[in-house]
Amino acid sequence: MEQVLRLASAPINWGVGPLDPQNPDPERVLDAIAEAGYEGCELGTYGFFGNTAEQVLPRFKARNLALVTTWHQVDLARPLSDAATEELRTVCGILQAGGASVLLISDLITPERMAVVARVDERPDAWWSDEEWQQARQTLLAIAAIASEYGLIVAIHPHVGGHIESGSEIRRILDLTEGDPIYLCLDTGHIRIGGSDPIALLERECGRLRHVHAKDVDGGVLEKLRSGALTYDEAVEAGLYAPLGQGIVDWQGLKRGLAACDYRGWVVAEQDRIMHPNDPAPWELNRRNAEFLRGLFKI
């Protein structure tokens, strides 16, 4: 059976994090994504493309771009608050209207965990307790129940700065949710930075894979981050996320692994960066990373 992969981009490639007046023009971002030949784009930070489906979707449709998914962080070690539930429903409603099928969920990013990125195994004081792990499963199930009302499934996104970063943490949450309607987003960059092998995880969790973030990592910058010579933000500024194909991610392994899993979904090119107004690099790298993935997967 022929492998079917679709390529997408995301606002994080321009450094879009919290809403900021200095963020790039969303219309120009979508133009660049369409012109580079991507078929879709992630929603990114809520509000960047608009606050309602009526504001967001015309921008995507005008460029024949699919609304792919979004990354959403939740304090998984606590029951869902009313505010978190309301925010989830708003985001799920936009995704449903746009025809998306997956919601990506990460644990809440905190300063305490950001301080130990890439060194989690050495810092047991930063780990969840057994009770918090059990609550994380319950919270994920509550999120999955909400998402299902909108025709969406939940995929865990291992992410630096949250409590699902290291290899042992990723394995634990996947083991805890074995048999539950909780799936996996394979982010090759965050998993590699967290100290484990994304290709081995892909092989182990093939049946739960529902989304792919294609990131590369500069090995030299990663070593400086691990040693404590750089903070995470400093590492990103120094090029922690390399142009695709120029870092230490095993791209041929990813290609083989996705083919072996008969993965038929989205591959999102991501090269996280710190936003600098008028920086020309993201525009060129957006195009270059699309070319790399098209060449890798022959699409």
Side-chain angles (χ1 to χ4, degrees):
M1 185 181 295
E2 183 180 356
Q3 182 181 352
V4 178
L5 299 177
R6 302 180 71 188
L7 301 185
S9 186
I12 193 63
N13 292 322
W14 282 264
V16 177
L19 294 181
D20 187 318
Q22 297 189 88
N23 278 336
D25 177 7
E27 298 283 347
R28 189 179 172 208
V29 167
L30 289 173
D31 282 342
I33 289 169
E35 289 164 6
Y38 293 100
E39 294 184 65
C41 179
E42 294 197 354
L43 184 62
T45 301
Y46 172 63
F48 178 63
F49 289 125
N51 295 311
T52 65
E54 291 73 21
Q55 293 172 345
V56 173
L57 297 184
R59 289 176 152 177
F60 281 66
K61 290 177 180 177
R63 297 162 176 87
N64 199 30
L65 289 172
L67 175 58
V68 177
T69 184
T70 197
W71 172 84
H72 194 73
Q73 58 175 323
V74 177
D75 187 354
L76 294 177
R78 304 288 179 271
L80 282 177
S81 66
D82 290 344
T85 299
E86 182 179 356
E87 188 174 71
L88 274 169
R89 289 189 177 280
T90 298
V91 170
C92 286
I94 294 173
L95 293 179
Q96 179 188 45
S101 60
V102 180
L103 170 66
L104 309 182
I105 293 292
S106 290
D107 182 43
L108 184 69
I109 309 306
T110 66
E112 294 77 17
R113 286 288 299 211
M114 287 300 294
V116 297
V117 167
R119 294 178 286 126
V120 169
D121 287 337
E122 305 164 12
R123 293 294 300 271
D125 57 303
W127 301 350
W128 269 336
S129 67
D130 289 343
E131 292 76 13
E132 287 171 319
W133 278 108
Q134 292 300 325
Q135 180 60 57
R137 174 177 178 262
Q138 294 303 318
T139 303
L140 282 167
L141 291 176
I143 294 169
I146 293 170
S148 69
E149 297 176 26
Y150 297 85
L152 303 169
I153 62 170
V154 167
I156 297 169
H157 184 313
H159 202 288
V160 301
H163 287 81
I164 305 174
E165 174 188 329
S166 70
S168 60
E169 290 173 332
I170 296 168
R171 286 192 300 275
R172 183 157 185 180
I173 197 64
L174 290 172
D175 289 346
L176 274 173
T177 57
E178 182 70 33
D180 296 329
I182 304 295
Y183 301 92
L184 173 67
C185 168
L186 188 83
D187 187 299
T188 56
H190 282 279
I191 293 168
R192 192 71 176 79
I193 293 166
S196 58
D197 179 0
I199 311 308
L201 180 63
L202 168 60
E203 293 169 352
R204 177 180 184 256
E205 300 292 344
C206 179
R208 296 176 75 175
L209 179 67
R210 292 297 184 274
H211 197 69
V212 176
H213 280 173
K215 285 191 181 77
D216 215 338
V217 177
D218 184 293
V221 178
L222 177 57
E223 285 306 312
K224 292 179 181 179
L225 175 61
R226 283 179 175 156
S227 72
L230 295 175
T231 67
Y232 177 74
D233 284 350
E234 289 169 344
V236 175
E237 189 76 79
L240 176 64
Y241 296 100
L244 303 190
Q246 296 185 17
I248 59 176
V249 166
D250 178 5
W251 293 100
Q252 290 301 320
L254 178 67
K255 179 180 178 180
R256 290 192 298 270
L258 294 180
C261 288
D262 192 28
Y263 176 70
R264 306 168 71 80
W266 290 101
V267 176
V268 183
E270 288 196 334
Q271 189 177 352
D272 297 19
R273 54 193 308 112
I274 303 296
M275 192 268 294
H276 293 289
N278 304 315
D279 181 1
W283 310 92
E284 172 58 25
L285 290 168
N286 176 68
R287 180 192 62 77
R288 188 210 165 279
N289 288 337
E291 292 175 353
F292 172 79
L293 291 175
R294 280 196 293 268
L296 176 69
F297 295 118
K298 304 294 189 279
I299 54 178

